[in-house]
Amino acid sequence: MWIMLAVLAVILLMNVFRTSEGYTTVDTAEVVQAINQNKVRSAELTTGDEQRIKIELKDGEEIQGATAVQASYIGEQGSELAKLLQAKYQDEEGLLPDGYTVSPQSQNAFVGILLSFLPILLILLVFLFLMSQMQGGGSRVMNFGKSKAKLITKDTPKTTFADVAGSDEAVEELHEIKEFLQEPGKFQAVGAKIPKGVLLYGPPGTGKTLLARAVAGEAGVPFYSISGSDFVEMFVGVGASRVRDLFEQAKANAPAIVFVDEIDAVGRHRGAGMGGGHDEREQTLNQLLVEMDGFDVKGGVILIAATNRPDILDPALLRPGRFDRQIAVDRPDMQGRLEILKVHKKGKPVAPDVDLGAVARRTPGFTGADLNNVLNEAALLAARADAKLIDNKFLDEAIDRVVAGPQKRTRIMSDKEKLITAYHEGGHALVAAASPNSDPVHKVTILSRGRALGYTMVLPEEDKYSTTRNEMLDQLAYMLGGRAAEELVFHDPTTGAGNDIEKATATARAMVTQYGMSERLGAIKFGSDSSEPFLGKEMGHQRDYSEEIAGVVDEEVKSLIETAHNEAWEILVENRDVLDNLVLELLERETLNKEELAEIFRPVVKRPARPAWTGSSRRTPSTRPPVAVPAKPIGLTKANGSAGAGVEAGSGSSPAKREITGSGGVGDAGGSTID
Ligand SMILES: Nc1ncnc2c1ncn2[C@@H]1O[C@H](COP(=O)(O)OP(=O)(O)OP(=O)(O)O)[C@@H](O)[C@H]1O
Ligand SMILES: [Zn+2]
């Protein structure tokens, strides 16, 4: 790049000076005199922006010892010079003879220069294009020239910890960082070691950026931020130099916070890249490590990074002295959701009868960003309806929108398709209602939303952090309820169950390979984490179990699905009257809420419990009942997030997900499954 810029500069200079080459500059008066005295052999008068006259003198003549001179003139003088030349030298036809030109230089100098650069620019562009092709990315040319200032943003946020709700543990941990930034002396005096880096990890939208900004806002220090993915989209070597830049800027303004979002984009295991070579990302990562080792704690710069994939980070990043503080930022629980709703409610006219607690209860699995979105959507809907207040109706619709996308009123379904959808959704709902370990059905609708044709929502009464085998078996039956209804009633399954089947298969596979819920295979984990579909491939190993085991896994998955399918079928056969009734109601009202559903489901008899889990023949479960739970929990210890070892992570490590089965078209029913 630098070489090319230098070449450009040289060419530019040559262009500027070319015009005066070989001509001595003299006074305009002397040129006029020479013309008048017939001493001129040829003349070139340039009008326009470059107001200049160049003349060559006849043999033997000279001005100031030169035979070729030039002079500049101003404005009106030009036409006078032209007239003078005309008067002296024009022929009978009024034309100037060869060698005498009056050239209007109409284009301005800048355009002229640009034009002369055009070929070079073209070559440059081709060159850049080739370079970006070599790096295997298409968008890099576009990024080139994006100024640094845009990639690295700096400000001093006004955000405070009060803006972050429902993440009390994370806030508590970050308090210390804030105090250090405010009063480094206090910590240094007692020899306390302050972490150089803090890693915030958790699902997208849980407020990691918000937390980092709040630390800067609370401490009143500048906040530098860049996204890891921006580093990667650069030319070789630029990422690393940008890292250097970033830290230089921050150090110059210390105390400061440097925030790197999506650090996984640069911080993946080294050697995990294509070809395992020394690629751009690695250089960037190495530079980041160098910088982190380089800044001494007195420097007052703290690096906060965020990721939703902490598992794929290079171990070097997590070594002591780097990101030695790791803070989980999880999806909020019910109380957290309520608080987040309260934060975002500010400034919005919410009707007095709206119970935000009820909204919080209905939104398990929602992140802060989702909840913010719900309130925003509700406000938009209210505004569109010319309403003064955001009421329950708008909030209801807003939640559905965030779950499954906006309603598709324009999608006209044929009566037949509507009927099939009603039976499909009815099948889900009825199976859930008849299963003893299922969460209650909260809502069923056959209104299209997003790509879903309809959906059924079951909701736990309270947040759940783990799931029992029986609950999972009931979930499987519930997921297959839609498909079973299609088969039972129409004898012809549709593509609408595609998403259900996908989810059911994933659940069954997880039961077998992750949760040890197959009696044949036992409590063994098979294969790499299923949430990590690409890592295994990248690292070059696909499966860590034999072909034979793989066969058994498949058989066990199939048996779980088959059993669930049969259970769903039996429920539907036994309660066909209820199913038909439910479908009629759905066709009439399109959406049924919890109370309406409870009424319809009243005649349903719950399925009996399954036989107890027997495990292996040698581990017969005892018949002695568990102790009774004391009325008040005693000695409840709070798990310390950074304590790591021994902490039970729970099956999902986040509140139980909402089960929504959208009967979408082919492919996934966009947005109807929230993870
Ligand atoms: N705990 C929370 N309290 C209040 N608002 C929140 C909270 N979590 C998220 N939000 C809202 O969601 C928005 C998005 O959050 P933020 O960008 O911080 O998430 P993130 O975890 O950094 O996501 P990503 O991983 O996608 O970068 C915030 O600007 C805020 O409005
Ligand atoms: Zn379905």
Side-chain angles (χ1 to χ4, degrees), residues 331-332 337 362-368 370-371 374 399 402-403 658:
R331 289 176 212 273
R337 292 196 295 275
R362 285 184 45 199
T363 47
F366 275 44
T367 63
D370 291 332
L371 294 168
V374 165
I399 293 172
V402 173
V403 172
R658 209 155 49 275

Side-chain angles (χ1 to χ4, degrees), residues 161-168 171 200-213 259 261-262 306-308 329-330 332 336 339-341 343-344 367-373:
F161 286 142
D163 296 322
V164 191
S167 304
D168 298 344
V171 167
L200 301 174
Y201 63 93
T206 44
K208 297 181 289 296
T209 311
L210 192 70
L211 276 163
R213 291 182 64 82
F259 178 66
D261 205 356
E262 297 177 62
T307 179
N308 37 41
V329 188
D330 238 327
E339 275 152 30
I340 293 172
L341 285 167
V343 165
H344 289 293
T367 63
D370 291 332
L371 294 168
N372 189 3
N373 215 350

Side-chain angles (χ1 to χ4, degrees), residues 387-663:
K388 296 265 180 304
L389 295 172
I390 301 172
D391 61 19
N392 281 318
K393 173 173 85 247
F394 296 126
L395 279 166
D396 219 56
E397 169 67 14
I399 293 172
D400 285 347
R401 276 177 175 239
V402 173
V403 172
Q407 268 180 28
K408 289 240 171 74
R409 289 187 191 283
T410 49
R411 183 187 281 169
I412 313 268
M413 255 197 258
S414 69
D415 284 348
K416 176 78 192 284
E417 219 174 1
K418 223 173 188 165
L419 189 66
I420 295 175
T421 306
Y423 268 105
H424 179 109
E425 298 307 332
H428 282 307
L430 179 55
V431 171
S435 299
N437 308 292
S438 171
D439 295 320
V441 189
H442 192 88
K443 182 172 192 167
V444 184
T445 177
I446 55 165
L447 277 177
S448 306
R449 252 173 217 290
R451 285 169 64 192
L453 299 178
Y455 73 89
T456 302
M457 186 192 264
V458 295
L459 269 185
E461 300 287 3
E462 50 196 16
D463 282 354
K464 278 200 297 202
Y465 297 90
S466 69
T467 313
T468 68
R469 171 173 168 273
N470 272 309
E471 283 166 352
M472 288 182 104
L473 292 174
D474 279 2
Q475 279 174 17
L476 285 181
Y478 154 70
M479 289 175 202
L480 291 161
R483 165 64 177 258
E486 289 178 17
E487 292 172 35
L488 177 70
V489 179
F490 301 98
H491 320 287
D492 193 9
T494 72
T495 55
N499 192 37
D500 298 334
I501 291 172
E502 192 183 324
K503 279 176 62 186
T505 311
T507 303
R509 190 163 286 277
M511 287 174 74
V512 175
T513 62
Q514 286 179 47
Y515 303 128
M517 289 178 183
S518 144
E519 287 171 21
R520 260 176 88 189
L521 287 165
I524 298 171
K525 181 181 160 97
F526 295 102
S528 53
D529 214 316
S530 62
S531 66
E532 186 65 274
F534 300 111
L535 188 64
K537 272 182 218 146
E538 253 183 329
M539 303 289 280
H541 57 75
Q542 283 137 0
R543 214 173 47 202
D544 54 8
Y545 49 92
S546 67
E547 205 59 49
E548 202 188 330
I549 293 284
V552 181
V553 167
D554 288 344
E555 278 171 38
E556 286 294 274
V557 170
K558 175 146 196 280
S559 135
L560 282 171
I561 299 275
E562 270 304 301
T563 309
H565 204 147
N566 288 338
E567 283 176 4
W569 183 275
E570 282 159 21
I571 289 173
L572 298 180
V573 171
E574 260 163 52
N575 298 281
R576 178 65 194 264
D577 291 346
V578 179
L579 180 62
D580 287 348
N581 191 19
L582 174 60
V583 165
L584 283 175
E585 292 287 338
L586 269 175
L587 290 175
E588 161 127 10
R589 283 188 267 181
E590 293 187 322
T591 302
L592 297 173
N593 65 25
K594 198 174 173 185
E595 289 72 35
E596 292 163 334
L597 286 164
E599 184 57 38
I600 297 167
F601 289 143
R602 217 203 309 245
V604 173
V605 184
K606 294 251 185 212
R607 261 184 76 85
R610 296 183 182 83
W613 167 261
T614 49
S616 99
S617 56
R618 294 171 63 193
R619 294 192 303 271
T620 315
S622 100
T623 48
R624 183 166 140 182
V627 298
V629 181
K632 254 193 193 152
I634 32 170
L636 188 73
T637 46
K638 197 169 148 198
N640 185 338
S642 48
V647 176
E648 204 66 55
S651 74
S653 77
S654 61
K657 300 158 197 158
R658 209 155 49 275
E659 283 311 329
I660 298 164
T661 52
S663 48

Side-chain angles (χ1 to χ4, degrees), residues 146-228:
K146 210 197 241 179
S147 77
K148 270 180 211 165
K150 269 186 212 147
L151 291 176
I152 303 174
T153 62
K154 179 207 171 183
D155 64 335
T156 308
K158 297 262 180 297
T159 318
T160 66
F161 286 142
D163 296 322
V164 191
S167 304
D168 298 344
E169 287 93 352
V171 167
E172 220 166 90
E173 298 255 343
L174 288 168
H175 254 290
E176 186 186 297
I177 308 289
K178 166 212 146 184
E179 278 166 25
F180 167 73
L181 286 166
Q182 274 176 331
E183 276 185 88
K186 189 172 102 185
F187 289 80
Q188 281 151 15
V190 295
K193 202 172 133 277
I194 290 297
K196 292 176 182 175
V198 178
L199 181 70
L200 301 174
Y201 63 93
T206 44
K208 297 181 289 296
T209 311
L210 192 70
L211 276 163
R213 291 182 64 82
V215 177
E218 288 272 342
V221 302
F223 181 80
Y224 291 87
S225 96
I226 189 166
S227 172

